[in-house]
Amino acid sequence: IPQSRDRVVTGCQDRQIRTYELSSGKLLSSFKSGSSEDSGMIVNVALDPSSTYLAAAGSDKCIFVHDLQSGDRLASLYGHSEMITGLKFTNDCKRLISISGYGCIFVW
């Protein structure tokens, strides 16, 4: 949920990122996270404090950073050897922190 609290962003098993208006439940936008060869599902999403960027972690141990408005993929992050269980942007929007199931923390 962005800071404006007017919508909700979800990551789904079909790798779609969907944004809904909270007041009406109306679908506002949808785009696919990852690349065409990805077979995992989205297990975690995080918005940066400005609600400009979205990070999506898949069961395939990859993180994709997107422009939330356009859906464009801005970065692909690889390095975890276990499923990613947590994502958080820093308050200054300069870094992304990811945590995996075995407790490893990456700062990107």
Side-chain angles (χ1 to χ4, degrees), residues 12-102:
C12 305
Q13 288 182 329
D14 61 1
R15 297 198 73 90
Q16 291 289 318
I17 303 295
R18 295 183 176 97
T19 303
Y20 296 92
E21 184 178 57
L22 277 177
S23 62
S24 68
K26 179 183 173 186
L27 177 65
L28 299 174
S29 66
S30 178
F31 61 87
K32 186 172 182 177
S33 180
S35 59
S36 59
E37 65 271 1
D38 295 319
S39 60
M41 63 181 153
I42 301 298
V43 295
N44 206 315
V45 295
L47 291 173
D48 78 307
S50 71
S51 299
T52 302
Y53 304 109
L54 173 129
S59 59
D60 55 3
K61 307 169 201 146
C62 301
I63 301 169
F64 298 98
V65 179
H66 297 273
D67 178 289
L68 183 59
Q69 183 137 9
S70 69
D72 291 341
R73 184 172 18 152
L74 305 174
S76 302
L77 309 173
Y78 304 94
H80 282 286
S81 61
E82 295 292 327
M83 190 163 63
I84 298 155
T85 57
L87 292 171
K88 173 84 170 128
F89 281 95
T90 57
N91 289 338
D92 62 6
C93 304
K94 292 183 178 181
R95 303 261 187 240
L96 175 66
I97 301 166
S98 59
I99 303 166
S100 69
Y102 61 94

